[in-house]
Amino acid sequence: MAKTLRNEYYKCLTYKNLMNAHLQSRKGKGYRKEIILFNLKQEEYIMWLYRNLKEGTYKHGGYTVFYITEPKIRKIEKSKYIDRIVHRWYVNSFMEKYFIPQFINTSYACLKNKGMHKASLDLQRTMIKCKRKWNNYYILKMDVKKYFENINKNILYKILERKIKDPKVLWLTKEIIYSNEGETGLPIGNYTSQLFANVYLNELDQYMKHKLKCKYYFRYMDDGVILVKTKEEAREILGNIKKFLKETLKLELNSKTQIFKNKQGVNFCGYKINEYRLKIREKGKRKLKKKIKELKYKISIGEITSKEAKKYLAGHMGYIKIANTKNLEKKLFYT
């Protein structure tokens, strides 16, 4: 586990590090107006930011609020571009070095060399192992109720404060955490929010592994899967999880949380998984079919080229690549 964070703020606060954070933040977004304008005077802006962070006069700007409807209705709070550079620098300098190393191996969201594909394949391999070991077993699938909007900022700050002993890093941490209104809720649009959310539920991960001794436990952000031999074990674990979340993190599980037999398979990271197959869920299929239909139409009227369509589909292709989708691919691409 990474050591306590001390005397790091001024070591990490350099013009070069802030410029790197800017270059990372603008990747793939250089066509946006706010970034084009920033690029015109990037050296001046970075120097201004450097002075503000050094002197402790930096203040997090406001948010632009909008809503997305896919995969469900969500409130997005988008921070100003200069604040997004600070978020990136903060994660690069402090979160990656001091917090990510303490995460358990089976936490997958927003981590390098992890992600949805690895989470799904690792879970399936463990399901095969449990099938050989126990033949029949039980799956506890848990889902935290409205996770991002229910994260308690004071509890999050106290968790971070245990490791951060540098006063300037704590000042900036507070500036970011309390940058939006309310005692609860992290802005989904912030680069820091997903890692803060991981740090928050890492408290549950440590409890699951070290107190409850759950050997087969997987988490992707607010979705968790536990594999156990009996229904009684699953019920006891579920009771303990509910108690821990309520008392320690002020969270609840939602109605999707349930216990079922392994033969039913489990929905996780967009896939329906059992020991023998990894399939795209019906919701994912519908979304993919709709996208391909749209792209085919745009190609037919000359709005885009086939090459451009492939770029749009790149993310979707990565999604179906690891699944058992031969029949689906034939229907989508060869009809």
Side-chain angles (χ1 to χ4, degrees):
M1 189 177 290
K3 56 188 182 294
T4 305
L5 195 165
R6 297 179 191 274
N7 307 315
E8 286 292 308
Y9 185 83
Y10 291 110
K11 289 179 190 174
C12 297
L13 181 57
T14 64
Y15 175 89
K16 183 182 177 182
N17 286 345
L18 289 173
M19 181 58 79
N20 284 339
H22 158 53
L23 298 177
Q24 288 175 323
S25 299
R26 76 179 187 187
K27 261 186 188 174
K29 301 165 190 168
Y31 58 89
R32 293 182 184 175
K33 186 180 177 181
E34 60 179 340
I35 297 176
I36 291 168
L37 292 173
F38 190 94
N39 286 338
L40 293 173
K41 294 184 177 181
Q42 62 181 20
E43 290 85 4
E44 291 174 44
Y45 286 133
I46 295 295
M47 275 308 300
W48 178 86
L49 187 57
Y50 170 78
R51 285 195 299 271
N52 277 262
L53 288 167
K54 188 176 181 180
E55 294 164 9
T57 54
Y58 166 77
K59 290 286 179 189
H60 198 286
Y63 289 91
T64 302
V65 178
F66 60 95
Y67 292 84
I68 58 169
T69 55
E70 287 291 338
K72 56 186 175 183
I73 295 176
R74 281 184 180 176
K75 179 184 177 183
I76 304 295
E77 293 174 274
K78 184 184 176 185
S79 53
K80 292 177 181 176
Y81 182 67
I82 202 151
D83 294 318
R84 299 207 295 277
I85 293 171
V86 175
H87 299 163
R88 179 78 65 164
W89 173 71
Y90 179 91
V91 170
N92 291 349
S93 302
F94 312 119
M95 298 298 290
E96 286 185 353
K97 186 176 176 182
Y98 289 92
F99 287 92
I100 290 175
Q102 72 182 343
F103 294 164
I104 62 171
N105 288 333
T106 51
S107 171
Y108 296 89
C110 315
L111 301 172
K112 286 177 185 174
N113 304 316
K114 291 273 185 97
M116 297 172 77
H117 294 175
K118 183 164 171 55
S120 304
L121 292 170
D122 284 357
L123 174 59
Q124 187 182 46
R125 277 192 286 268
T126 306
M127 290 172 76
I128 293 167
K129 185 178 178 180
C130 289
K131 179 72 177 173
R132 288 172 183 162
K133 186 177 178 181
W134 296 321
N135 188 27
N136 295 316
Y137 59 93
Y138 284 83
I139 299 169
L140 165 54
K141 174 70 166 55
M142 65 172 194
D143 197 319
V144 179
K145 185 179 180 180
K146 295 181 179 177
Y147 181 45
F148 272 86
E149 60 191 86
N150 284 322
I151 290 173
N152 184 287
K153 295 175 186 177
N154 295 332
I155 294 172
L156 172 62
Y157 182 76
K158 283 175 184 174
I159 292 168
L160 293 163
E161 195 179 28
R162 294 202 304 255
K163 187 172 280 291
I164 301 172
K165 301 302 178 186
D166 184 320
K168 293 296 288 184
V169 179
L170 280 174
W171 159 73
L172 185 56
T173 301
K174 194 173 279 188
E175 190 65 37
I176 296 170
I177 289 175
Y178 296 96
S179 60
N180 65 331
E181 293 180 358
E183 287 184 18
T184 61
L186 298 181
I188 292 175
N190 280 1
Y191 187 63
T192 49
S193 292
Q194 290 180 322
L195 274 167
F196 281 156
N198 252 339
V199 168
Y200 203 75
L201 272 190
N202 179 59
E203 298 295 299
L204 174 65
D205 296 345
Q206 300 301 328
Y207 174 72
M208 296 290 290
K209 287 291 183 180
H210 301 296
K211 296 290 183 183
L212 298 186
K213 307 290 184 186
C214 290
K215 193 174 181 182
Y216 307 125
Y217 164 67
F218 301 81
R219 183 175 67 81
Y220 189 94
M221 202 49 77
D222 55 342
D223 281 350
V225 176
I226 303 109
L227 310 177
V228 291
K229 188 178 180 181
T230 67
K231 195 171 189 177
E232 290 69 32
E233 281 179 81
R235 282 176 175 162
E236 186 179 349
I237 289 167
L238 179 56
N240 284 321
I241 290 171
K242 285 180 177 178
K243 188 170 185 286
F244 179 86
L245 287 176
K246 186 178 180 181
E247 293 178 358
T248 309
L249 300 175
K250 293 188 179 178
L251 294 173
E252 296 177 17
L253 297 176
N254 66 21
S255 57
K256 293 179 189 175
T257 299
Q258 54 186 313
I259 296 165
F260 43 87
K261 291 179 180 178
N262 67 291
K263 65 182 180 183
Q264 289 180 233
V266 62
N267 291 326
F268 189 56
C269 292
Y271 300 98
K272 178 77 172 180
I273 307 169
N274 63 30
E275 296 91 355
Y276 313 105
R277 287 182 70 83
L278 196 150
K279 296 171 69 177
I280 294 174
R281 292 171 63 188
E282 289 304 316
K283 193 176 179 182
K285 285 182 188 177
R286 287 196 297 272
K287 191 177 175 183
L288 188 57
K289 285 174 183 175
K290 185 181 175 185
K291 187 70 180 174
I292 289 170
K293 191 176 179 181
E294 285 174 7
L295 291 173
K296 281 181 176 178
Y297 174 72
K298 285 180 179 181
I299 292 168
S300 70
I301 62 170
E303 192 174 315
I304 60 170
T305 65
S306 297
K307 193 175 180 180
E308 287 170 330
K310 283 180 182 177
K311 283 183 184 178
Y312 287 119
L313 273 179
H316 294 283
M317 293 309 293
Y319 173 53
I320 69 173
K321 189 179 177 182
I322 67 164
N324 304 109
T325 56
K326 282 185 180 178
N327 291 335
L328 176 64
E329 287 177 57
K330 282 179 184 176
K331 287 179 185 176
L332 291 175
F333 301 113
Y334 304 110
T335 57

